[in-house]
Amino acid sequence: MQTKCSCLNETDAEKYERIAQVIEEYKDREGSLIQILHMSQGIYGYLPLELQKFIAQKTAIPLSKVNGVITFYSFFSTQPRGENTIRVCLGTACYVRGGKKILEKIHELLGIGAGQTTPDRKFTLEVMRCIGACGLAPAITINGKVYKRVNPDKLEKILEEY
Ligand code: FES
């Protein structure tokens, strides 16, 4: 029989407790802040200001530095993320061949713009630079899977898969 992972029901307090344990374990290691942030994001899902303050306080690192590192690296997020990440290429070839129309269609279908997440946390939309599929532009990726020569109609079918 398959059991449901208990972390799905974990409360915020329990998550903070786990993060505190991670901080205790890592804080004296060199370059620990990035590792702590990675693991905290893994546990909490994203890094809201409240959590940044908690990390700053527990590590005795100024909040401005914690926040600076989070803003510098694109893989850290201060907003809740969706289950699926859609990235639309806006490199030159994709832009010229309709990348912007794809963005508009996503906005029409899901009601979100670049950098936003649907209220049901199903999708997060981001834009990206060229991924080397220019010959088959416009390209998008969903959770890393590349879709080429996407057009607004095709897009609807692709999103249905998710
Ligand atoms: S410009 Fe989009 S893949 Fe190159």
Side-chain angles (χ1 to χ4, degrees), residues 76-96:
F76 290 130
S77 176
T78 57
Q79 303 291 330
R81 296 188 62 86
E83 206 183 300
N84 304 292
T85 302
I86 309 170
R87 293 198 170 96
V88 177
C89 178
L90 284 189
T92 313
C94 289
Y95 188 86
V96 170

Side-chain angles (χ1 to χ4, degrees), residues 88-96 128-140 146 148:
V88 177
C89 178
L90 284 189
T92 313
C94 289
Y95 188 86
V96 170
M128 62 182 173
R129 282 182 273 169
C130 177
I131 49 158
C134 318
L136 298 167
I140 69 167
V146 181
K148 299 163 186 169

